[in-house]
Amino acid sequence: MYSIKCTSTEFNALIAGLRLLAVAMDKGEVTPEDGDIGSILSSDGDALDADGISEFCDELLEPRFRA
C-alpha cells in the first residue's frame, strides 16, 4: 500500500492523467508491456485494465464528495 501527499492541484492532475490513460487503453493506444507507458503500468506483473483504472479513480474521488 502506498501513501502520498499532494496538493489538490496535483491530485486533480493525477486523476486527469489516469482518466486519459483509461481512454488510451480503450482505444488500444496503450497496452500492458508495450515498451512504453503500458510497461510502467504492468511493471509488477499485474496491470489494471481501463475499467479498473476508472474504478480506481472513482474510489479516489469518493471521499472528496462525501458530506
Side-chain angles (χ1 to χ4, degrees):
M1 181 172 282
Y2 290 90
S3 175
I4 63 169
K5 290 185 179 184
C6 60
T7 66
S8 62
T9 301
E10 293 165 335
F11 179 82
N12 292 338
L14 287 170
I15 297 296
L18 288 169
R19 296 286 192 199
L20 287 170
L21 175 60
V23 169
M25 290 179 75
D26 274 338
K27 292 180 177 180
E29 296 170 349
V30 175
T31 58
E33 301 179 32
D34 63 5
D36 197 9
I37 294 171
S39 293
I40 297 168
L41 181 65
S42 59
S43 66
D44 70 355
D46 293 324
L48 292 173
D49 60 10
D51 289 335
I53 291 170
S54 292
E55 289 171 13
F56 179 57
C57 288
D58 293 343
E59 290 173 17
L60 290 172
L61 289 167
E62 185 180 329
R64 296 178 81 192
F65 299 109
R66 286 188 201 155

